[in-house]
Amino acid sequence: MPDSQPQPPSSSNPSGSSGQPDPAALLLCGARLTDGRTVDVRLGGGRIEAVGTAGSLTPGAGRRGVARVDLDGYLLLPAPAEPHAHSDTALAAERPGPASYASEDVQRRATEAALLQLGHGATALRAHVRVGDVQGLGALGAVLQARRSLRGLAELTTVAMPRLLTGVAGAGGLAMLRDAVKMGASVVGGSPDLDPDPTGYTEAVLEVASEHGCPVDLHTDAADPARLSRLAAMAGGLRPGVTLGPCAGLSRLPAEVAARLADQLAAAGVAVVCLPQGGCGSAERRGAAPVRLLRAAGVRVAAGSGALRDVSNPVGRGDPLEAAFLLASAHGLRPEDAYEAVSGSARAVLGLPEVRVEAGFPAELLAVRGDGLSGALSLAYSRLVVHRGRVVARTSAVREYCSSASAADPGLPRQGRKELS
C-alpha cells in the first residue's frame, strides 16, 4: 500500500466511506493525548471522524447507536506496527529440535504469534518467511493462510526469504523467489550475507523487486563496509523502497566508517529496522544498530521485535513498547522518538499511511494506562487496541497489596472492583 496523506472526511459523508453513513460508531471517552489534553474521539468507517474536548462529541447523524469505551486514565496513541517478525519460526523454542515446517504447525504458530503481538498493540506486521530448501513454498502458504484468518484483526504481510540466489545452487532459489511473489508474498528479501556472492544475491533480489514493483527487505549484519556501500549504491532510488535490518554490525565499525555509511544509506533512501530486544540470528551477531548515529544522518530508523520465542531468542516478547522502552533506556532516545520508531516510522517502512489522533486519519490506535508517554513505556500493563475503528484486543492488569495491619492473614489480597495498574 503506498504511503499517502489521508484527507478529512467531507461533511456530506461523515463516515468517510462511499456508501450510506456507517450505522454504528465507536466513541472513545476521556482519553489523554501526549500533549496533555483530555478528549473524546469518535471513530467510524475505519477512520477517526472527530476529536473534541471530553463530553463534547455525539454519535453523529444517521447513527442507530454508539458504543462507548471509557478511557479515563489511559493515554491514546497511534498504534505501533511490527516491521520485523519471523512468523514461520515463532513460538518454536518450547519444543525440542528444529522448528516444524509442517503447514498446520506453521499456520498455528504464525496465527498465535500475530495475536500475541496484536495484544501488545501491533495492528500491522511484516513477517519474514523462508522459501526454498526443505520448506519450499509450504511455510509461505501457511503464513498466507494465517493472514487470511486474521483479516479484520490485524494486517499481516510477508517477505519471501530464499537462502541462495547465485551460482548453480542459487538457480532454484531465484525461481522460488519469483514463484513466492506470484503466490502472494508482497515483499522480496533474504540474507545476502549467507550467499557466497552477497553482491550477486542483492542484485538478484533488486531485479525481482523491479520486475514486480515490490519493496525490498534484506537481512544483513552490515559489518562489511564495502559490501554495505555497494548495496546502498544499488538500492538508491528504487521504489517502493529498500529496508535493511538488523544492521548490528554497524555498531562494531569505527565511528568514522559507520558515519560515512550512514550518510550513504540516507542519500539512497534506505531505511533501517533495528532489533533492540535481541537479534534474529546466531549468538555472535547480538547487539543493535547505532540508532542515534543513523538518525543523525537522516536515515529512517524503525524498531522491530525480531525473534519471538524461537531458537534465536527463546524469551522474545514481540512487544513494540518494550522495543521503544529499550531505545529510550539503553540507546538514549527521547520517549517520543523511541515510540515513533515503533509506530510512525514502522508504519512508513511497511508502506502504510500515517496515523495521528486527528480527524481524517486511520483509526489504528493503542490506549495504554498512564498519564504520559514515559510512564506508559515504563509500565505498559493495561492496553486497548483499535484496528479499523474496532476494538480488537484488550489487556487489563490489576495490582493489589495486602494491608500492613493484617500480617497474620496468610491469604492473598482480594481483587477489588477498580483497576489499579
Side-chain angles (χ1 to χ4, degrees):
M1 182 186 300
D3 192 275
S4 60
Q5 180 68 24
Q7 298 298 319
S10 64
S11 58
S12 62
N13 184 12
S15 71
S17 62
S18 58
Q20 296 297 317
D22 189 26
L26 181 64
L27 195 58
L28 308 178
C29 304
R32 184 182 293 271
L33 303 183
T34 54
D35 61 10
R37 289 181 293 152
T38 300
V39 299
D40 289 351
V41 180
R42 189 175 69 228
L43 313 178
R47 290 190 176 273
I48 299 172
E49 289 189 344
V51 179
T53 56
S56 68
L57 295 186
T58 62
R63 294 287 172 47
R64 293 195 295 266
V66 61
R68 297 175 181 269
V69 178
D70 182 9
L71 291 184
D72 180 36
Y74 281 78
L75 184 70
L76 189 62
L77 302 163
E82 173 53 69
H84 194 112
H86 287 272
S87 298
D88 53 344
T89 58
L91 307 176
E94 295 165 4
R95 294 187 179 183
S100 167
Y101 270 92
S103 293
E104 60 273 19
D105 291 336
V106 174
Q107 182 181 343
R108 174 184 53 79
R109 292 199 308 263
T111 304
E112 290 179 3
L115 290 175
L116 188 153
Q117 293 184 274
L118 176 65
H120 290 320
T123 62
L125 305 94
R126 176 179 282 184
H128 296 252
V129 183
R130 298 175 186 176
V131 298
D133 296 333
V134 177
Q135 59 269 27
L137 292 173
L140 177 62
V143 176
L144 289 173
Q145 183 60 42
R147 176 193 180 191
R148 289 187 282 271
S149 69
L150 291 162
R151 188 170 294 142
L153 295 175
E155 301 293 335
L156 176 63
T157 57
T158 54
V159 185
M161 292 182 58
R163 178 173 174 80
L164 298 176
L165 288 180
T166 67
V168 176
L174 187 57
M176 192 76 68
L177 181 59
R178 289 191 167 95
D179 288 343
V181 176
K182 295 174 184 176
M183 186 174 178
S186 54
V187 186
V188 293
S191 302
D193 297 358
L194 301 180
D195 194 283
D197 179 5
T199 300
Y201 187 107
T202 302
E203 289 174 343
V205 168
L206 295 177
E207 180 181 349
V208 174
S210 180
E211 290 173 3
H212 296 275
C214 294
V216 171
D217 197 329
L218 291 170
H219 281 57
T220 178
D221 192 45
D224 185 323
R227 186 185 305 168
L228 186 61
S229 181
R230 286 194 298 271
L231 192 157
M234 288 187 289
L238 183 71
R239 295 293 177 266
V242 176
T243 300
L244 303 180
C247 297
L250 275 173
S251 296
R252 302 191 294 271
L253 296 175
E256 64 276 8
V257 175
R260 184 172 66 253
L261 291 169
D263 289 339
Q264 292 175 353
L265 293 174
V270 175
V272 170
V273 173
C274 65
L275 302 178
Q277 296 174 86
C280 55
S282 57
E284 63 267 19
R285 293 187 178 185
R286 297 291 169 166
V291 294
R292 295 178 66 182
L293 180 146
L294 290 166
R295 283 170 50 86
V299 177
R300 182 184 292 280
V301 178
S305 299
L308 173 56
R309 294 191 349 231
D310 66 14
V311 294
S312 297
N313 185 358
V315 295
R317 294 181 181 177
D319 186 353
L321 267 64
E322 183 182 50
F325 160 80
L326 290 169
L327 288 177
S329 63
H331 295 272
L333 268 60
R334 297 185 311 130
E336 295 79 7
D337 294 332
Y339 189 74
E340 171 66 17
V342 301
S343 57
S345 291
R347 287 183 63 84
V349 164
L350 270 57
L352 298 172
E354 181 182 10
V355 173
R356 299 181 196 167
V357 188
E358 298 176 13
F361 284 83
E364 303 289 322
L365 302 168
L366 171 65
V368 184
R369 182 165 286 280
D371 292 330
L373 191 53
S374 296
L377 295 184
S378 174
L379 299 170
Y381 296 133
S382 297
R383 309 182 193 186
L384 179 142
V385 186
V386 175
H387 173 54
R388 294 185 177 178
R390 185 168 70 103
V391 176
V392 292
R394 185 166 195 166
T395 301
S396 298
V398 176
R399 174 180 288 167
E400 297 174 316
Y401 300 93
C402 67
S403 170
S404 60
S406 58
D409 184 358
L412 294 172
R414 283 190 282 177
Q415 180 171 317
R417 293 183 179 179
K418 185 176 180 182
E419 190 178 87
L420 301 177
S421 62

